Every structure is written in C-alpha cells, then in structure tokens.
Amino acid sequence: MLLNSFNKSGVECGTDEAGRGCLAGPVIAASVILPKKFKNTLLNDSKIVKTSNRNILKKIIEEEAISFGISHVFNKEIDKINILNASILGMHKAIFNMHLVPDHILVDGNRFKVYNNIPHLCVIKGDGKYLNIAAASILAKTYRDEFMNLIHEEFPMYNWKQNKGYPTKEHRAAIKKYGVTKYHRLSFKLLPDQLKLEL
C-alpha cells in the first residue's frame, strides 16, 4: 500500500521524470500535489502499470490533483548539461510550473539539487512507495509517450511509437541504417561500436 505523503502537515509535492535512459527525445518531468485523503488502487510506479490504466490515471490525477506541473528538457540541452543534470532541471521546472509552491518536495531517486530553499527528500524507488511520486511518474510517462508517438510520425523508421526512444536492437539498427535525427542525444552511446554519426 503506497503512502499518501511523507509530510503529514504542509503542502508536499512528489516529482519524477521519464526518458532518462533513452537515445532520443526529451526527458519529461512532472510534479504533483495530491489531496491529503487521495486514494486510488490503480496508482503505482508507472513502469508496472498497464498502458490503458496509465491513461485512465492521467485523467484522474489531472482532475483531482491540487496542482501539477510538466516540463520538457530536450536532447540538445541534455547533450550540453548531461542526463543527470537534465533530469534534475526537468523536475525543478515541473515544480516551477505548478500554481502552488510546496513546503516539501519528495523526489524519486537518490539525486537532487536544492530548489528555492524548499526542503526535499530523495527516495529510491519512491514511485512504488508514495502516491504523489507515483502520480508524477504516471504524468511524466504518459506525456512522454504522447510526445514520442507524435515524433514517430515524422521519423517512422525508428519505430518510436513502440520503443519510445529506448535502446532496443531495432532502434540501434535503424540508427546504423539511417543515421541520427534532430531528436537523438549525440552524447549517448548510440551504437555499440561508437560510430561517429553526422547529422
């Protein structure tokens, strides 16, 4: 059973990101403040929730959350500042995009940087422990999937609709055959033999 929040008093948000290990596309982060008595038996870490249920939960979270924020950090920025910094930047931007300032931030994972002097707590596998982080993981994942489905139409040969930019054999084979796109992260190991690819 997931806990509603860590702090029993004050306004707490959960924050998480999706797309950290991908070869293409942005990192998308989300931040969510849930009502104190929010409960939903479907809600869990987005990685173990079925796609159909994730889409149901997205609607519920957006309708019932006290506040939520979404942010995108695109591949060129990821290449400049590295994926860890991009993930943290994304979470900071998602918190900024909420209409309410939290008193406390619950972060999925083990790394974060102080945001506006707001106390925070990093929780490893927090999306399977706290509802507000799980809600953020659902929003981050569903928004990112939608984005990858959209750019799939532009570059269907990479099958991003299916692999969402992750390093599948099919995705790497397409990079080897067609080269890279404007959405690929050039600082990542795109091919096992580290071929130098030109845009």
Side-chain angles (χ1 to χ4, degrees):
M1 187 77 169
L2 277 66
L3 299 170
N4 188 287
S5 60
F6 176 80
N7 266 14
K8 299 306 171 196
S9 60
V11 176
E12 181 179 85
C13 75
T15 188
D16 198 3
E17 48 70 30
R20 189 165 171 170
C22 296
L23 303 181
V27 165
I28 294 188
S31 180
V32 180
I33 299 169
L34 293 173
K36 289 289 182 192
K37 294 184 179 178
F38 181 89
K39 289 283 179 277
N40 189 294
T41 53
L42 286 178
L43 184 54
N44 209 319
D45 170 4
S46 65
K47 292 184 287 298
I48 63 171
V49 176
K50 287 192 303 186
T51 303
S52 56
N53 286 341
R54 284 201 300 259
N55 293 327
I56 291 166
L57 283 165
K58 177 179 184 281
K59 277 192 74 175
I60 292 168
I61 293 161
E62 290 183 343
E63 286 169 6
E64 296 189 25
I66 292 167
S67 186
F68 70 90
I70 308 293
S71 75
H72 298 56
V73 180
F74 290 96
N75 52 301
K76 284 189 168 62
E77 183 77 359
I78 293 168
D79 286 338
K80 276 185 201 165
I81 65 175
N82 81 41
I83 189 61
L84 174 63
N85 286 324
S87 299
I88 294 170
L89 174 64
M91 291 188 275
H92 282 194
K93 287 169 71 175
I95 296 164
F96 176 81
N97 287 338
M98 294 192 300
H99 70 259
L100 197 61
V101 178
D103 302 313
H104 188 258
I105 302 165
L106 264 190
V107 183
D108 184 59
N110 63 354
R111 302 288 291 278
F112 196 64
K113 294 175 184 174
V114 174
Y115 175 76
N116 279 2
N117 293 317
I118 299 169
H120 71 267
L121 177 69
C122 292
V123 184
I124 294 169
K125 296 186 177 174
D127 46 7
K129 295 173 183 174
Y130 291 97
L131 287 170
N132 53 14
I133 301 180
S137 83
I138 293 288
L139 291 190
K141 174 67 176 159
T142 51
Y143 272 87
R144 192 175 188 282
D145 284 356
E146 286 171 9
F147 184 90
M148 296 308 292
N149 290 345
L150 193 67
I151 64 172
H152 167 88
E153 302 304 321
E154 197 176 346
F155 294 99
M157 65 283 274
Y158 300 92
N159 201 16
W160 290 331
K161 199 167 190 174
Q162 188 68 42
N163 62 53
K164 302 298 187 275
Y166 281 93
T168 61
K169 281 184 182 177
E170 175 191 42
H171 189 184
R172 289 195 193 274
I175 293 170
K176 196 159 195 171
K177 184 174 181 181
Y178 300 106
V180 294
T181 68
K182 60 187 178 182
Y183 298 111
H184 278 100
R185 303 173 186 177
L186 302 184
S187 58
F188 277 49
K189 190 175 179 181
L190 298 174
L191 291 173
D193 52 3
Q194 288 288 267
L195 289 176
K196 190 172 181 185
L197 300 168
E198 299 295 336
L199 275 172

